Amino acid sequence: MRFRGIDLIRYGAFTDARLRFSEGARLHLVSGANERGKTTLLLAFEELLYGIDARTPMAFKHDFSKLLIGGEIVSSGGETLAFLRRKGN
């Protein structure tokens, strides 16, 4: 399984932000200046896969009930799965 991309639809300071990864690359590095969202992106991956924590610190711009993250993965067989994770109880 490989990530094809992640969408920060309503998450942290981001609204409708999209990050796509090159298909042929073996390694992706995310870099940027301080306070540009690298830690937010890391937490977004975690919460996309395992659920948005009940006390996530990423609800300062958007209400808890409005948080939404999207992702797209591709299997080793080439099948693609796009999915969304929303904040729920």
Side-chain angles (χ1 to χ4, degrees):
M1 173 187 85
R2 294 181 65 106
F3 270 99
R4 190 174 270 171
I6 187 166
D7 298 315
L8 305 177
I9 300 165
R10 288 185 300 272
Y11 191 78
F14 296 98
T15 304
D16 295 326
R18 172 174 272 188
L19 179 64
R20 292 290 172 250
F21 301 109
S22 302
E23 285 193 39
R26 293 180 52 147
L27 176 69
H28 291 92
L29 297 176
V30 177
S31 66
N34 290 342
E35 301 298 319
R36 296 294 179 206
K38 298 178 299 290
T39 302
T40 299
L41 182 61
L42 182 63
L43 186 58
F45 274 110
E46 180 182 332
E47 293 192 330
L48 177 65
L49 293 173
Y50 302 108
I52 299 174
D53 190 61
R55 296 178 189 224
T56 185
M58 294 297 130
F60 54 87
K61 181 176 179 182
H62 307 285
D63 292 336
F64 277 100
S65 62
K66 303 289 184 196
L67 294 179
L68 188 62
I69 312 167
E72 188 175 336
I73 57 174
V74 61
S75 72
S76 59
E79 298 168 328
T80 300
L81 174 66
F83 57 100
L84 296 172
R85 172 78 72 175
R86 66 177 178 82
K87 174 71 180 90
N89 289 332

